[in-house]
Structure formats: C-alpha cells, structure tokens
Amino acid sequence: MTESAARDGWQLIETTDHDLDELMSWFHDPDAVDIWGGPRFRFPFTRTTVRKDCHWGRMPGFRLDSPHGEFSAFGQMYLRYGRINLARLVVNPAMRGQGVGKRLVAMLIEVGPTLFEGDEFSLFAYRHNAAALGCYRSMGFVVREYPKGARMADQCYYLTRPV
C-alpha cells in the first residue's frame, strides 16, 4: 500500500527505483555517506550496494517533493526497539538550511502511525551532527538512554518523541 502526505504544496511520496540515481548523486565522499547511512554503508557505492545497504524496497522509504516537484529530501522508517524509527534522513544538498529537514520529519511523523503501531518515534544521530540534532530537538525529540546492545553508543545519541 502506498502512503503519502501533502502539506502546503509539499508532497511526501513513497520512493521508487527511479529515485535512486538522484539520491545517490547527493553523496560524494565516505564521510557524507557515513553520516547518512552509518559505518556499514559502503562507499564508493553502486546502485546494487545502495539498494542492499538501504534495504530499498524492503523498508518504507519516502521522498519529499517541493511545491515545484523537486526531490528535496529522503527518509525511511521501520519498527526498532518498540518505536517507529526514522532512518537515513537526508536533505538535498542544494536545499539545506531552508527548513526542509523539519518539513521532512514533520511529514514522516504524520505518515508513521498509518504504517506502524507505536507510542513513540525514535532516531539515532551522530553527536557531531549539530544541524541534524538541532532539527530533531526543535521537533520535540529528546535524548534518551541508549538502547542496550545498540551499536555506537559512544558516537551517537538516541532520541525519541511521542507520537
């Protein structure tokens, strides 16, 4: 079932294979890929490795389109630790600093409960990713105790917020 949301001309649309090439074009170095996909995400990458590392087609993924139809941001979600976890959130580099990340998170929060049952949203963010942390905190996410057994507790924060 395809889920989507629209607000003020912006549209959150489930991704298709046609979106993969543009998404891949947003990453030019291993650090950018690591911040987005984590240390297990391969770089340099191919369509095949991105599909595998992103769980493309096996996990709901969404593109955020601007009112002009520009592919502005991307994110995925799935259940993790009993919460609706937002993952691999990224804003088109040409649109950073314009509030697109907040719009993406808000619209994922709108769609999430239609796909999964849960009382809270969660996400992981690198401690040094100040821009992302500022966005998430402004959206009501707070740092919580790191889940037992989760990797990278010394490098990431675990944030949650109510549905």
Side-chain angles (χ1 to χ4, degrees), residues 120-140:
E120 288 186 301
F121 286 96
S122 64
L123 53 83
F124 292 86
Y126 276 112
R127 294 175 183 214
H128 68 274
N129 193 346
L133 289 168
C135 173
Y136 305 145
R137 286 182 172 140
S138 75
M139 301 294 299

Side-chain angles (χ1 to χ4, degrees), residues 33-120:
V33 171
D34 179 60
I35 289 170
W36 171 60
R40 292 186 180 175
F41 213 99
R42 291 171 271 189
F43 188 87
F45 50 67
T46 65
R47 285 183 114 251
T48 300
T49 63
V50 170
R51 287 180 60 81
K52 184 174 182 176
D53 294 349
C54 235
H55 308 285
W56 197 269
R58 297 189 326 263
M59 176 186 300
F62 297 89
R63 65 179 282 155
L64 178 64
D65 281 0
S66 75
H68 306 292
E70 298 165 290
F71 186 174
S72 304
F74 170 83
Q76 293 176 297
M77 69 179 90
Y78 62 102
L79 284 178
R80 186 171 185 185
Y81 302 113
R83 295 177 174 96
I84 304 168
N85 193 69
L86 305 182
R88 295 182 198 88
L89 307 176
V90 64
V91 173
N92 181 331
M95 303 182 95
R96 292 184 182 154
Q98 301 175 35
V100 175
K102 287 181 183 181
R103 188 173 296 276
L104 171 67
V105 171
M107 293 180 82
L108 288 171
I109 286 170
E110 187 177 315
V111 169
T114 68
L115 298 173
F116 303 103
E117 288 187 33
D119 297 332
E120 288 186 301

